[in-house]
Amino acid sequence: MVSLDSIVNRRCMSVLAMTCSLMLGLSSCAKDSEQYKSADQEHYSATSPDERIGLTVSWDTQTSPQYSVTFNNTSVLLPSNIDLFIKGEQKEEHDLVLLSQEEVDETYALPWGQFSHSRNQYTGVKFQLVNKITNEPLSVLEFRVFNDAVAFRHVFESIGESKNQILLEQTHFNFAQDASTWSYNGMKPNKHIKSIASSAAEQIMIPTAVFGEKLPAMAIQEASRFETEIMQLTTLSGRAELAVISQPLISNALPSSTAWRVLQIGDKAGDLLTSQSLINLSPANQIEDISWIKPGKSLWDWRVRGDQYGDHTYALDNESLHRMIDFAAKSNMQYVMIDANWYGPEHQAESDPFTEIDGLNIKDLINQANQKGIGFILYLNDKASVNYDLDKLFETWASWGAAGVKYGFMKLSGREKVLKTLNIVELAAKHKLLINFHDQPIVPSGLRRAWPNWLTREAVHAQADGLHTFTPSGFVEMAHVNALAGPLDMSNGFFKLNGLKESRKYVRSDVNSTVAGEVARALIIFSGLIIFPDSPEEYLRKPDLFEFFQHMPATWDESKVLSSNIEHHVVTARKTGEDWFVGAAINEEGGELPLQLDFLADNHIYTAKIYADTAQTHYLTNREAYAVRAIEVKKGDVIKMSLAPGGGQAIWLSPVSKGTKK
């Protein structure tokens, strides 16, 4: 295991709250202190390092222990059950025994991401969850309170007499007032519940964003998911409360744990989108040599197939891929990705991924790409895993010089899908291959820190599929919800918006955007592998607009969501070196948004290159109208952004000198 560069300031404090026989082998440094509550008080309080988030855990009034959360001294979660019980048995009373507390403050480098470094700062506390009558230990219940989240999980090191019995989880989120939710919904638009309290036992998926009139912005997610299926939630009729839908948690293979259940909290919705809490809850990097892991931008042949330019029609052939490789090499792109059917019909298990279809020379294409400094990514359908060994296949593809794998249509569900996904990521890392999962992959849980070759996934309704309506409002919602969990491959960046559906074989619906909006969307949706879906010819037709993509990287030193409203717009800024890149997208209404340039460096003059809609642009009737202009700005200036209905705006800010703009 490799250790990333880190600056660590760690203080560990614990209290001996019960006999060592109930400690389950937990190690901690003990220190007597009056500042910690004793177990006899049957409640415990902790705060985030910045003291804005408060956690109280109690086990004195109910059959199950409860926890509650405050933000800025205002209640966010009322006492909420948090417990385990044995399936099929009568529920018994459980207690908590305080084991230890620690304060952690560490900063570590990231190989890629929205930030160059992450600060992992939290207050941690551990309890023993025990049967009150028998004193039998059920789990170690662990909490971490960050400046922007509360996370908790059950850890199983020994489960006493219940080791052959099925444990189920009781975890509730009892909000201090009614709220609305927007939730991940697979390949469909997000699911919106206007009132939790008025909803009748409705099932929802994570990530789930939660907004209330007097509540802070919140999201429910999970982190570090290794052994359990993806958490799902249900509303509880007549109550402003969500409950985890429990699945069997553990097997006889110990130690094990649940994923972290994470309640993220921010002053505004945009704060949640740049939170590093999921990353910080992940194990450290598991790949010894990460020098080969390079985020980047990629062309993609799938959405181009069928379109004709001059005497060439794009298809699954050598000439089409040659064109893409040449363009990528000249345009500051790092990859070309070939999609389905290159080794035979993708949904047939007999199609042999160790070879290619007649007329296609995949090894020559990979070699040509590598000679030009371009990585080549190969598509693989899950059907191939029926008859072929993935370890051997990845070894073979790596020997050809392939850079990565786009993995599609994994048909498993539940825990099996989680386990297979992680196995594929680990196999890919073994053979130095990048991974991009498509076609309803598992929702991210921060494990790109442990496996940084896992650059992206299509945990979103991608554009142009046509199975469901993708609207400007839908983009804004998904940018607030799906993007909460991690990097997404939404395939933004079409430059041909007029006649797109009619000219492309695999474009099944119009793209409801503007061309300036497409540029902005590619910046807003963070991904370690940014997939551009259009042809080289379309990008060459708008070189002044394509300039933004050429200069925009796929990894960042710093990221901010400057303004957002899940029902209206999102404005994101990302920094690389001294340059800032800004993207703004809006719903069907369009409108003006002020961009306050308070994030720029002092005493610098910047050139702001603005890639914008025009007064005539519209996402339905005039998608490709745009204008590019440049102005000089400084910190504190305001740019008035005019966004067309369903449109957007991108801005590239680069310092030209130090001094004061006159």
Side-chain angles (χ1 to χ4, degrees):
M1 181 186 299
V2 66
S3 175
L4 298 178
D5 297 336
S6 64
I7 307 166
V8 180
N9 173 23
R10 181 182 294 261
R11 289 180 292 145
C12 177
M13 297 164 284
S14 66
V15 281
L16 298 176
M18 65 182 301
T19 63
C20 292
S21 62
L22 289 177
M23 292 291 287
L24 296 183
L26 289 170
S27 60
S28 58
C29 47
K31 179 180 178 181
D32 293 330
S33 174
E34 294 182 357
Q35 64 178 301
Y36 302 122
K37 311 290 185 182
S38 72
D40 293 337
Q41 291 178 283
E42 296 191 330
H43 68 274
Y44 186 86
S45 297
T47 61
S48 59
D50 65 2
E51 299 185 346
R52 297 184 73 195
I53 295 179
L55 167 72
T56 298
V57 183
S58 61
W59 54 99
D60 54 350
T61 60
Q62 302 292 326
T63 300
S64 294
Q66 295 186 314
Y67 74 105
S68 57
V69 177
T70 61
F71 182 67
N72 289 336
N73 296 316
T74 300
S75 180
V76 171
L77 287 187
L78 300 175
S80 305
N81 288 347
I82 183 168
D83 204 354
L84 297 172
F85 58 95
I86 298 173
K87 184 177 182 180
E89 293 192 6
Q90 184 176 353
K91 191 172 181 182
E92 297 179 318
E93 186 171 354
H94 294 158
D95 267 2
L96 294 179
V97 179
L98 180 62
L99 298 179
S100 65
Q101 173 169 309
E102 64 177 354
E103 294 181 7
V104 171
D105 189 1
E106 62 180 356
T107 301
Y108 57 91
L110 294 168
W112 59 272
Q114 295 195 82
F115 299 88
S116 61
H117 290 75
S118 183
R119 186 177 183 183
N120 183 28
Q121 186 183 23
Y122 65 85
T123 300
V125 60
K126 294 178 181 179
F127 301 92
Q128 185 77 68
L129 177 65
V130 299
N131 184 307
K132 188 172 184 179
I133 304 301
T134 66
N135 267 349
E136 178 187 1
L138 294 172
S139 74
V140 171
L141 178 58
E142 183 176 1
F143 285 88
R144 291 182 185 177
V145 189
F146 299 89
N147 291 335
D148 60 358
V150 174
F152 50 88
R153 67 175 178 177
H154 293 275
V155 179
F156 309 101
E157 295 195 2
S158 169
I159 50 174
E161 297 176 359
S162 66
K163 65 181 179 180
N164 293 316
Q165 296 172 305
I166 297 174
L167 284 177
L168 298 176
E169 175 182 8
Q170 184 183 54
T171 298
H172 288 200
F173 300 88
N174 182 15
F175 296 102
Q177 63 168 256
D178 194 16
S180 59
T181 65
W182 276 262
S183 303
Y184 171 68
N185 198 22
M187 299 295 104
K188 299 178 182 180
N190 294 139
K191 184 174 184 177
H192 178 36
I193 295 176
K194 294 182 179 180
S195 166
I196 299 175
S198 301
S199 177
E202 196 162 350
Q203 187 170 323
I204 56 178
M205 294 188 282
I206 60 166
T208 291
V210 181
F211 302 107
E213 184 179 352
K214 297 181 180 180
L215 293 172
M218 289 179 285
I220 299 174
Q221 301 204 68
E222 61 181 352
S224 202
R225 183 195 311 112
F226 281 102
E227 303 171 271
T228 52
E229 63 184 89
I230 299 172
M231 177 175 70
Q232 295 190 61
L233 304 167
T234 182
T235 60
L236 301 176
S237 298
R239 297 149 66 179
E241 192 167 2
L242 299 175
V244 172
I245 299 173
S246 185
Q247 301 293 337
L249 290 178
I250 60 173
S251 66
N252 290 332
L254 298 175
S256 65
S257 70
T258 66
W260 290 95
R261 281 67 174 101
V262 185
L263 176 69
Q264 294 175 300
I265 307 173
D267 291 302
K268 56 187 185 299
D271 297 337
L272 308 177
L273 294 168
T274 54
S275 170
Q276 296 293 92
S277 56
L278 299 193
I279 295 288
N280 290 333
L281 289 162
S282 169
N285 173 36
Q286 303 294 299
I287 303 173
E288 184 174 355
D289 173 22
I290 62 171
S291 62
W292 56 275
I293 299 174
K294 300 183 185 301
K297 299 169 287 187
S298 178
L299 284 182
W300 176 34
D301 76 320
W302 182 252
R303 301 292 188 199
V304 184
R305 294 180 192 177
D307 212 341
Q308 185 172 354
Y309 295 89
D311 60 357
H312 178 73
T313 299
Y314 276 91
L316 184 55
D317 58 34
N318 295 313
E319 174 60 24
S320 296
L321 274 301
H322 284 312
R323 287 176 175 240
M324 291 196 160
I325 291 167
D326 289 341
F327 180 75
K330 296 173 183 176
S331 305
N332 190 28
M333 292 195 173
Q334 291 71 45
Y335 299 98
V336 168
M337 185 169 70
I338 188 172
D339 214 283
N341 305 321
W342 67 266
Y343 58 85
E346 64 163 319
H347 294 290
Q348 292 183 12
E350 294 76 20
S351 294
D352 184 355
F354 287 87
T355 184
E356 64 271 297
I357 60 174
D358 290 342
L360 191 69
N361 196 323
I362 202 71
K363 282 179 268 189
D364 281 354
L365 288 168
I366 293 173
N367 184 55
Q368 182 205 15
N370 290 346
Q371 287 180 353
K372 294 177 179 288
I374 299 298
F376 204 87
I377 298 171
L378 299 172
Y379 176 84
L380 180 68
N381 189 291
D382 186 60
K383 279 284 187 182
S385 68
V386 174
N387 292 329
Y388 299 95
D389 178 76
L390 293 182
D391 190 11
K392 181 64 176 176
L393 179 62
F394 288 178
E395 180 184 30
T396 300
W397 284 6
S399 73
W400 293 352
V405 180
K406 176 181 176 179
Y407 199 102
F409 290 102
M410 191 184 299
K411 296 302 183 186
L412 296 174
S413 61
R415 183 171 181 265
E416 287 184 333
K417 191 169 187 176
V418 170
L419 295 176
K420 183 169 183 177
T421 296
L422 296 177
N423 180 59
I424 290 169
V425 173
E426 189 168 355
L427 285 177
K430 174 183 174 182
H431 299 293
K432 297 187 176 181
L433 294 170
L434 307 172
I435 281 287
N436 175 8
F437 284 103
H438 262 238
D439 310 303
Q440 294 195 317
I442 64 171
V443 173
S445 66
L447 288 180
R448 63 185 174 91
R449 179 186 176 191
W451 302 104
N453 63 317
W454 195 351
L455 290 184
T456 193
R457 73 283 286 160
E458 191 194 26
V460 70
H461 176 202
Q463 297 193 106
D465 276 334
L467 300 177
H468 308 280
T469 302
F470 188 120
T471 64
S473 292
F475 173 81
V476 174
E477 290 170 7
M478 285 183 279
H480 280 86
V481 177
N482 303 58
L484 284 168
L488 297 176
D489 179 3
M490 193 185 277
S491 63
N492 305 113
F494 279 105
F495 274 20
K496 180 178 184 176
L497 295 173
N498 299 324
L500 182 64
K501 178 182 176 183
E502 292 74 21
S503 65
R504 304 285 174 88
K505 184 176 181 180
Y506 296 113
V507 173
R508 299 180 177 92
S509 69
D510 288 327
V511 173
N512 292 314
S513 183
T514 70
V515 70
E518 283 295 282
V519 175
R521 290 179 181 191
L523 181 282
I524 292 166
I525 300 298
F526 169 68
S527 178
L529 185 67
I530 304 174
I531 306 298
F532 293 110
D534 222 326
S535 70
E537 288 80 2
E538 295 299 335
Y539 294 128
L540 288 169
R541 285 175 177 173
K542 301 178 176 71
D544 53 347
L545 197 62
F546 185 68
E547 174 187 56
F548 187 90
F549 286 161
Q550 287 181 287
H551 290 277
M552 177 185 78
T555 187
W556 304 95
D557 297 326
E558 185 179 353
S559 298
K560 298 174 179 288
V561 177
L562 303 175
S563 175
S564 75
N565 181 312
I566 195 169
E567 296 184 284
H568 188 253
H569 73 274
V570 58
V571 183
T572 301
R574 305 191 190 277
K575 183 183 181 186
T576 178
E578 293 188 87
D579 289 7
W580 284 91
F581 292 79
V582 178
I586 202 164
N587 66 5
E588 292 83 351
E589 298 174 2
E592 293 188 351
L593 298 173
L595 178 63
Q596 185 79 37
L597 299 177
D598 291 341
F599 55 88
L600 297 180
D602 293 324
N603 301 317
H604 281 66
I605 298 172
Y606 290 78
T607 295
K609 201 75 171 287
I610 300 172
Y611 311 82
D613 298 320
T614 71
Q616 293 74 40
T617 308
H618 193 283
Y619 79 99
L620 292 177
T621 59
N622 194 13
R623 298 181 173 105
E624 291 190 31
Y626 73 95
V628 178
R629 63 189 177 98
I631 59 174
E632 287 192 349
V633 296
K634 67 181 187 306
K635 182 175 181 177
D637 287 349
V638 178
I639 296 176
K640 185 172 70 173
M641 299 186 294
S642 296
L643 280 65
Q649 187 168 133
I651 302 174
W652 171 29
L653 296 137
S654 185
V656 292
S657 65
K658 292 185 178 182
T660 304
K661 177 173 174 265
K662 296 181 180 179

